[in-house]
Amino acid sequence: MRAQVVTIQDVARAAGVSPATVSRVFNGGSVTPARAQSVQEAAAALGFAPNRVARSLRKQRSSVIALIIPDIENPFFTSLARGVEDAAQRTSLSVVLCNSDEDTEKERRYLEVALGEQMAGVIVAAASRDETDLGPLAARGVPVVAVDRRPRDAEVDAVRVDDHHGGEVATRHLLQAGYRRIACVTGPEGASTSEERLAGYRAALTAARGAGAVDDSYVRHADFRVEGGRAAMRELLSLPEPPDAVFVANNLMTIGVLDALREAGRTPPGVGVLSFGDVPWASLVRPSLSAVELPSYELGRAAAELLLQRMDGSASPLQTVVLRTRLQVRESTGGPAGA
Amino acid sequence: MRAQVVTIQDVARAAGVSPATVSRVFNGGSVTPARAQSVQEAAAALGFAPNRVARSLRKQRSSVIALIIPDIENPFFTSLARGVEDAAQRTSLSVVLCNSDEDTEKERRYLEVALGEQMAGVIVAAASRDETDLGPLAARGVPVVAVDRRPRDAEVDAVRVDDHHGGEVATRHLLQAGYRRIACVTGPEGASTSEERLAGYRAALTAARGAGAVDDSYVRHADFRVEGGRAAMRELLSLPEPPDAVFVANNLMTIGVLDALREAGRTPPGVGVLSFGDVPWASLVRPSLSAVELPSYELGRAAAELLLQRMDGSASPLQTVVLRTRLQVRESTGGPAGA
DNA sequence: CCTGCCGCTGAAAAGGATTTCACCCCTGAA
DNA sequence: TTCAGGGGTGAAATCCTTTTCAGCGGCAGG
């Protein structure tokens, strides 16, 4: 059993040159045109493909970048992944996706793989603010970009959206539409996005009604998934005085919220629903929902571009890019009485 | 700048043994307990993590498996990916995801990466039946499993669903519900799944009405995406005698079909819609749709298990595992007049 | 007491590419 | 004519780990 189909040695022998020259042909060293051509031909004839592992070992860097996301079943992240891929597409790098499943242990394993495989760069939407440890990668000099979520102490570039502002605008919109008892279903306590969206919600209520305006029984933490949204909304509906509107901090939870509302026989706009992030395949939902639109694709693209810059050796100071969200108003939040 | 934070040499020196012994400690060779322990301690103290690239180079095999899927934004494939991950979870292997985007060129690049990175195995849902070339991987002895879609000549294990049977059952159901002019929106011509589902549709019509029962103007090939479904349905609706029901060969196209129907002011069950594969977040759709349910998660799991067997050296003859689909009947196909 | 075997160990080779270094040869300037 | 410089080339080192191979020591059986 031969070890490798065809190595650089074989090509060198066939072309009558040294391995070093073959390497130079493939990596843009200076080689006489005639020789270069005969190497090309020999390589083509033998079907030579460089062994990427050997190359990575020697160069101390592979040509793969890792994108670690917390939920591969969430269209927000898959769209973000498309953005990353499209940006990487124009280079010779390949993107591989890792699904941490909101599990810091799985995430840790993937970070270890990225380090151990000497990946050229890592883009990560952190599963947790406190437990995600980007230290080893940074120490090793691997470029890292945090996207969407921020790990607490990480000294890395970041791309995210204006969560606080988006949450504020959303809540203000519900207030202006005439809803009075506005609840909030946000994500897990560990995530930066959960907390900032919630903070925006609080800020809007406080601005409108003064300090103490936030009734904490109207605030629920869930898990950023459909089931979590459903459970949280059921709880809210069973309160003595159920809310007449709800700000939901992510797209999937909004689906659960809508399910729970339908169960209870209530639908927008009788009850106001405002989602942070468009509901997937929004065209399926009637009436169509108002939502804070997130530039998921652009988030991925921006993160990839930042990463590529760093990989090119940019030494500019660490950046955080904040992309703007946009409130998309639709029929669903016309107001409690259609007002 | 040191090359590697800490190598096996450093550990060996610290523990007063040879690198070979350190390696044996980490790979289950025979080492006296006392020595093993001092190696463990030295490794822990120094924070040693083996260089996976060097290991892969030497072992001619990495500990990563690749899953190549054609559309990362399709929940069918992300659910399949979860199945693969969960099965791999129990081993020391990591799964990385590659999105070929139904593009045979991107797919080729990923297959090349998988080969070049000496991945331990590959699971692929082929972008094309004819152009996907698994030859090089097979030649190199890398275990490969085809999932969902079958490349034509590939000598590999496969896991798929009973597309033909599923298409037949679906179409028969529409017939039995009383629909007469049943159209079919299927996928691209190159894909095995498109063609077998279509063949099932033809078989059901032929069985019910005899040869020649299939009106080809009712058959449309689209691209397995929302837009494709929408466009195809618009065309069908503009026929002189539009269909009164449609069998749609995938989940995303069904969303497009529903959009087009709504545009035209028609909704189930006035027009019958039967989807091959559940519409994502089906709870959003009212009335709820009948569909051929696909065991996407199990598909991924079965593929991963087959792959793991091969990696363990199973030499049994090539297998094709066919999972059963199940027709889930719901309100939407009660019949043209609710009959 | 000798032989054979077995378990443990370390030196060294192997895996396949890139890169350094020294060298050769040729050109251009003094 | 001589020397400096530069472009092209190959031998060899390098990246880090695993694995082979040979050797050592101890124990059991003859």
Side-chain angles (χ1 to χ4, degrees):
Chain A
M1 190 171 78
R2 18 167 219 230
Q4 160 111 1
V5 182
V6 39
T7 76
I8 204 172
Q9 301 277 354
D10 302 324
V11 177
R13 212 172 1 251
V17 299
S18 76
T21 299
V22 179
S23 172
R24 281 190 269 259
V25 170
F26 282 92
N27 296 284
S30 54
V31 177
T32 355
R35 232 183 274 251
Q37 193 186 341
S38 78
V39 168
Q40 302 275 19
E41 287 169 2
L46 273 56
F48 168 70
N51 181 324
R52 304 168 74 110
V53 176
R55 165 182 296 185
S56 300
L57 177 60
R58 176 63 234 226
K59 302 196 22 167
Q60 300 283 309
R61 178 130 308 179
S62 83
S63 56
V64 179
I65 71 187
L67 169 59
I68 304 178
I69 56 178
D71 184 2
I72 197 190
E73 302 198 75
N74 186 336
F76 168 76
F77 289 112
T78 55
S79 163
L80 188 155
R82 291 291 309 272
V84 172
E85 282 174 359
D86 287 354
Q89 189 70 13
R90 291 188 304 265
T91 70
S92 60
L93 286 87
S94 305
V95 180
V96 299
L97 228 75
C98 311
N99 178 30
S100 71
D101 208 18
E102 300 278 10
D103 175 337
T104 54
E105 176 53 24
K106 283 194 200 175
E107 182 179 69
R108 202 191 51 67
R109 280 175 51 169
Y110 279 121
L111 287 169
E112 201 177 291
V113 170
L115 186 66
E117 296 281 348
Q118 299 184 169
M119 294 201 177
V122 175
I123 299 176
V124 55
S128 134
R129 193 188 42 192
D130 295 325
E131 294 174 53
T132 298
D133 183 9
L134 304 178
L137 284 166
R140 181 75 179 276
V142 178
V144 176
V145 174
V147 68
D148 187 49
R149 319 237 191 120
R150 278 192 295 189
R152 188 195 294 282
D153 303 313
E155 292 291 306
V156 297
D157 292 302
V159 179
R160 56 188 198 90
V161 298
D162 53 355
D163 293 288
H164 186 287
H165 178 254
E168 195 171 353
V169 168
T171 309
R172 196 185 308 144
H173 174 70
L174 288 171
L175 282 166
Q176 285 168 354
Y179 297 104
R180 308 305 306 154
R181 299 185 307 281
I182 302 175
C184 175
V185 176
T186 188
E189 313 217 16
S192 63
T193 47
S194 305
E195 310 212 334
E196 296 187 16
R197 291 167 197 175
L198 174 58
Y201 159 86
R202 288 186 194 278
L205 288 186
T206 305
R209 308 202 194 131
V214 182
D215 178 351
D216 277 342
S217 65
Y218 279 178
V219 173
R220 288 283 183 275
H221 286 273
D223 65 357
F224 274 150
R225 299 192 191 159
V226 176
E227 269 317 309
R230 192 189 333 257
M233 193 67 223
R234 281 187 185 143
E235 285 179 27
L236 289 169
L237 285 169
S238 71
L239 289 177
E241 198 173 29
D244 63 356
V246 57
F247 165 57
V248 193
N250 103 328
N251 53 356
L252 296 190
M253 293 195 302
T254 300
I255 292 176
V257 163
L258 290 172
D259 281 358
L261 286 173
R262 185 159 37 219
E263 264 175 24
R266 308 190 56 183
T267 52
V271 55
V273 175
L274 212 159
S275 174
F276 198 100
D278 255 325
V279 173
W281 292 286
S283 66
L284 295 176
V285 183
R286 296 290 131 165
S288 53
L289 285 188
S290 294
V292 177
E293 285 187 345
L294 303 184
S296 50
Y297 181 89
E298 289 74 17
L299 221 42
R301 248 177 83 120
E305 270 154 19
L306 205 47
L307 188 75
L308 292 174
Q309 275 175 35
R310 288 291 173 206
M311 291 173 44
D312 275 356
S314 154
S316 62
L318 290 179
Q319 315 181 23
T320 294
V321 177
V322 179
L323 299 187
R324 203 57 189 260
T325 58
R326 204 168 66 82
L327 179 67
Q328 177 67 263
V329 176
R330 298 201 188 85
E331 326 156 29
S332 62
T333 45
Chain B
M1 192 169 78
R2 17 167 219 230
Q4 160 110 1
V5 181
V6 38
T7 76
I8 205 173
Q9 301 277 355
D10 302 324
V11 178
R13 209 167 9 245
V17 300
S18 76
T21 300
V22 179
S23 172
R24 282 189 268 257
V25 169
F26 282 92
N27 296 285
S30 54
V31 177
T32 23
R35 232 183 275 250
Q37 193 187 341
S38 79
V39 168
Q40 301 275 20
E41 286 169 3
L46 272 58
F48 169 71
N51 180 325
R52 304 168 74 108
V53 175
R55 164 184 296 187
S56 300
L57 177 61
R58 176 63 235 225
K59 302 194 23 165
Q60 299 282 308
R61 178 130 308 178
S62 82
S63 56
V64 178
I65 71 184
L67 168 60
I68 305 179
I69 56 178
D71 185 3
I72 198 190
E73 303 197 75
N74 186 337
F76 168 76
F77 289 112
T78 55
S79 163
L80 188 155
R82 290 291 309 271
V84 171
E85 281 173 0
D86 287 355
Q89 188 71 10
R90 290 188 306 264
T91 71
S92 60
L93 285 83
S94 305
V95 179
V96 299
L97 230 76
C98 311
N99 177 31
S100 71
D101 208 18
E102 301 277 9
D103 175 338
T104 54
E105 176 54 25
K106 283 194 200 173
E107 182 179 68
R108 202 189 51 65
R109 277 176 51 172
Y110 278 121
L111 288 169
E112 201 176 292
V113 170
L115 186 66
E117 296 281 350
Q118 300 184 168
M119 294 200 176
V122 175
I123 298 176
V124 55
S128 135
R129 192 189 40 193
D130 296 326
E131 294 174 53
T132 298
D133 184 10
L134 304 178
L137 284 166
R140 181 74 179 277
V142 178
V144 176
V145 174
V147 69
D148 186 49
R149 319 236 191 123
R150 278 192 294 190
R152 191 196 291 282
D153 304 312
E155 293 291 305
V156 297
D157 291 303
V159 179
R160 56 187 198 91
V161 298
D162 53 354
D163 293 289
H164 186 287
H165 178 255
E168 195 170 353
V169 167
T171 308
R172 195 185 309 142
H173 174 71
L174 288 171
L175 281 166
Q176 285 168 353
Y179 297 104
R180 308 305 307 153
R181 299 185 308 282
I182 302 175
C184 175
V185 176
T186 189
E189 312 217 17
S192 63
T193 46
S194 304
E195 309 210 336
E196 295 186 18
R197 291 167 197 176
L198 174 59
Y201 159 86
R202 288 186 194 278
L205 289 185
T206 305
R209 306 202 193 133
V214 181
D215 178 351
D216 277 341
S217 65
Y218 278 179
V219 172
R220 288 283 183 278
H221 286 273
D223 65 357
F224 274 148
R225 299 193 191 160
V226 176
E227 269 315 309
R230 192 191 329 260
M233 193 67 224
R234 282 189 185 140
E235 284 178 28
L236 290 169
L237 286 169
S238 70
L239 289 176
E241 200 173 28
D244 64 354
V246 56
F247 165 56
V248 193
N250 104 329
N251 54 355
L252 296 190
M253 293 195 302
T254 300
I255 292 175
V257 163
L258 290 172
D259 281 357
L261 286 172
R262 187 160 34 220
E263 263 177 22
R266 308 189 54 183
T267 52
V271 55
V273 175
L274 213 158
S275 174
F276 199 100
D278 255 324
V279 172
W281 290 287
S283 67
L284 294 176
V285 184
R286 295 290 131 161
S288 54
L289 285 187
S290 293
V292 178
E293 284 187 347
L294 304 184
S296 50
Y297 181 88
E298 289 74 16
L299 222 42
R301 247 175 83 119
E305 269 154 18
L306 206 46
L307 188 76
L308 293 174
Q309 274 177 35
R310 288 291 174 205
M311 291 173 45
D312 274 355
S314 153
S316 62
L318 291 179
Q319 317 182 23
T320 294
V321 177
V322 179
L323 299 187
R324 204 54 188 263
T325 58
R326 204 168 66 82
L327 179 67
Q328 177 67 263
V329 176
R330 298 201 188 85
E331 326 157 27
S332 62
T333 45

